[in-house]
Amino acid sequence: DPNRYKPTSVTGAPAATYELALTNADFKFPRQWRTNVAIDRRLPWDMIGTAELIYNRDIDGIYYINANQAAYNSTFTGPDSRPRFTSTAVNRINSNVSSAVVLKNQSVGRSWHASGALEKRFRTGFLKAVYSYGESKNTVDPGSIAFGSWNNNQHAGNGNNPGLGYSGGSPGHRVFLAGSYSKEYFKVGKTTGAFFWEGNQFNTSYTFGGDINNDGGFSNDLLYVHRSTSEMNFVPFTASGRTFTAAEQATAWDAFIAQDKYLSQNRGQYAKRGGLFAPMVYRMDVSLTQELFRDLGGKRHGLEIRADVVNFMNLLNSDWGVGKRTVSNQPLIPATTAQGGSISASGAPQYTLRQFNGALMTRTFEPSATVADVYRLQLTLKYSFR
């Protein structure tokens, strides 16, 4: 009943606060320049070699600005000198407008992808090996909601000019090996065995676990990677009945950076959006198919029995075929201080190190625990006739 949800009186007065989603008057639907160069070559032993390079560049790409965001009125002091607002109350031009996100064009996004393959075909099957590497960079991974696309876009400076970072779909390294073999053993139909072995990786961003710069976003502030403990500004905190001192957290964070390949190579810099690539995970699927045919009543009847093992390597060893996930990609949590927000008396950002079950974080990755990390058995029966 729509009448149930109507207000009892309508004064015509504007809402106290509201948000806007706008499209720039000059906006154009996305266009992209694409160059694709490939070569196939017949090699010795009757193999086929393939090399391919794809390069893409935005002509009319997509990005967002919040037209209601005020100019930053301060900066942090020290090595992490990113701009900030002194409070969330001053980050809007019009206090009645919570956001005014504008969809615009930008032409800086780009990507490239290179791959090489070897393939050998036999009378009874084939064998193919492929390796590829690619990078994709843009200023935003646009989603379905304008404000969410802008507010959750990671940056280390101005949200209206975030700069290039790795896209969420940046492929990184990928390798796979596939093959099949068929033979008629019992004169009643073919027996086929096949496998697909693959290694790939995913990427994510290191951000603060909260709003360090008072811009209103709680997952969009990229970390500054400290050179040494002398640049760190931890504050003590108590959790699980234990107090963690600033010095203890600094030592633990410095050790965390040292064990993390990406962070240890980027000390003294801001983390890049999407710059953390997980270790490769390798999995293999295998299948065995038996065909059975027989002529009955002038018609051909067939039965196909297929058995699949998904993540076959995990069947052989419980430690194989298991992926990795980040323990947390938000290891630093902004600390609330007497100065208002996460800032020290000298103007430096302050934070605490994330803890789990009474212990500070010590490692970047841990084994994931999804259905893809365990082996699965599948049996298929297919009946056909003609």
Side-chain angles (χ1 to χ4, degrees), residues 21 59 65 77 86 118 127 144-145 239 268 273 276-277 280 289 319-320 337 343 360:
I59 298 174
I65 65 165
T77 62
T86 52
L118 284 174
L127 189 63
S144 59
I145 299 174
R273 175 169 59 90
L276 173 63
F277 283 82
M280 297 278 285
T289 304
D319 294 327
W320 294 349
T337 65
I343 186 169
L360 298 173

Side-chain angles (χ1 to χ4, degrees), residues 75-82 224 227 231 233 270 344 346-349:
T75 59
F76 287 115
T77 62
D80 185 354
S81 58
R82 75 184 74 204
Y224 170 76
R227 290 184 178 89
E231 292 187 347
N233 298 290
Y270 290 104
S344 69
S346 63

Side-chain angles (χ1 to χ4, degrees), residues 43-119:
L43 302 174
W45 302 296
D46 204 29
M47 291 194 299
I48 299 295
T50 301
E52 185 172 19
L53 175 65
I54 300 173
Y55 176 79
N56 301 316
R57 181 78 185 225
D58 284 345
I59 298 174
D60 296 310
I62 286 178
Y63 87 115
Y64 298 88
I65 65 165
N66 181 1
N68 195 49
Q69 179 178 273
Y72 291 92
N73 63 350
S74 186
T75 59
F76 287 115
T77 62
D80 185 354
S81 58
R82 75 184 74 204
R84 70 180 185 90
F85 296 102
T86 52
S87 71
T88 55
V90 299
N91 65 14
R92 302 178 187 176
I93 297 173
N94 187 325
S95 60
N96 296 109
V97 180
S98 57
S99 66
V101 179
V102 185
L103 175 62
K104 304 185 73 175
N105 288 122
Q106 200 172 40
S107 58
V108 298
R110 58 183 183 265
S111 66
W112 65 271
H113 188 265
S115 64
L118 284 174
E119 183 175 1

Side-chain angles (χ1 to χ4, degrees), residues 63 98 110 125-126 171-172 175 232-233 270 285 289 299 309 323 326 340:
Y63 87 115
S98 57
R110 58 183 183 265
F126 77 96
V175 60
M232 301 175 190
N233 298 290
Y270 290 104
D285 302 335
T289 304
K299 291 185 177 182
V309 183
T326 55

Side-chain angles (χ1 to χ4, degrees), residues 102 182 257:
V102 185
S182 298
I257 294 174

Side-chain angles (χ1 to χ4, degrees), residues 13 15 17 36-37 39 41 46 91 110 183 188 190 201 206 218 259-260 266 278 284 302 313 356 386:
T17 60
N36 189 349
V37 180
I39 183 172
R41 181 80 176 179
D46 204 29
N91 65 14
R110 58 183 183 265
K183 189 173 182 180
V188 291
K190 285 193 304 183
Q201 57 184 166
Y206 269 126
F218 286 82
Q259 63 83 46
D260 186 292
N266 289 276
M284 182 169 67
M313 296 169 65
F356 293 98
R386 66 175 184 270

Side-chain angles (χ1 to χ4, degrees), residues 7-270:
T8 55
S9 62
V10 179
T11 64
T17 60
Y18 52 93
E19 63 182 61
L20 301 171
L22 310 167
T23 302
N24 191 60
D26 297 329
F27 179 77
K28 297 177 181 178
F29 283 108
R31 291 189 301 161
Q32 189 178 75
W33 172 272
R34 172 165 293 177
T35 301
N36 189 349
V37 180
I39 183 172
D40 290 325
R41 181 80 176 179
R42 188 172 296 279
L43 302 174
W45 302 296
D46 204 29
M47 291 194 299
I48 299 295
T50 301
E52 185 172 19
L53 175 65
I54 300 173
Y55 176 79
N56 301 316
R57 181 78 185 225
D58 284 345
I59 298 174
D60 296 310
I62 286 178
Y63 87 115
Y64 298 88
I65 65 165
N66 181 1
N68 195 49
Q69 179 178 273
Y72 291 92
N73 63 350
S74 186
T75 59
F76 287 115
T77 62
D80 185 354
S81 58
R82 75 184 74 204
R84 70 180 185 90
F85 296 102
T86 52
S87 71
T88 55
V90 299
N91 65 14
R92 302 178 187 176
I93 297 173
N94 187 325
S95 60
N96 296 109
V97 180
S98 57
S99 66
V101 179
V102 185
L103 175 62
K104 304 185 73 175
N105 288 122
Q106 200 172 40
S107 58
V108 298
R110 58 183 183 265
S111 66
W112 65 271
H113 188 265
S115 64
L118 284 174
E119 183 175 1
K120 171 69 175 177
R121 291 196 171 271
F122 308 92
R123 186 171 55 85
T124 54
F126 77 96
L127 189 63
K128 184 172 185 177
V130 178
Y131 168 78
S132 67
Y133 179 80
E135 291 183 356
S136 174
K137 294 184 177 181
N138 56 19
T139 55
V140 63
D141 288 323
S144 59
I145 299 174
F147 177 72
S149 297
W150 177 83
N151 190 57
N152 296 322
N153 191 38
Q154 299 93 356
H155 61 87
N158 187 342
N160 284 341
N161 186 24
L164 278 177
Y166 290 97
S167 72
S170 192
H173 297 278
R174 181 175 184 246
V175 60
F176 75 79
L177 183 65
S180 72
Y181 177 80
S182 298
K183 189 173 182 180
E184 189 167 336
Y185 287 100
F186 308 109
K187 298 182 180 181
V188 291
K190 285 193 304 183
T191 302
T192 302
F195 74 94
F196 182 83
W197 175 85
E198 181 188 27
N200 56 31
Q201 57 184 166
F202 71 90
N203 65 318
T204 187
S205 307
Y206 269 126
T207 62
F208 279 100
D211 188 6
I212 193 75
N213 63 353
N214 289 323
D215 67 351
F218 286 82
S219 61
N220 64 349
D221 299 318
L222 293 168
L223 292 185
Y224 170 76
V225 187
H226 303 91
R227 290 184 178 89
S228 63
T229 56
S230 63
E231 292 187 347
M232 301 175 190
N233 298 290
F234 286 99
V235 297
F237 75 99
T238 301
S240 301
R242 179 186 171 188
T243 298
F244 297 92
T245 67
E248 184 180 6
Q249 294 175 73
T251 300
W253 177 234
D254 192 58
F256 185 96
I257 294 174
Q259 63 83 46
D260 186 292
K261 181 179 179 181
Y262 175 75
L263 293 179
S264 61
Q265 293 177 349
N266 289 276
R267 285 183 181 266
Q269 303 179 51
Y270 290 104

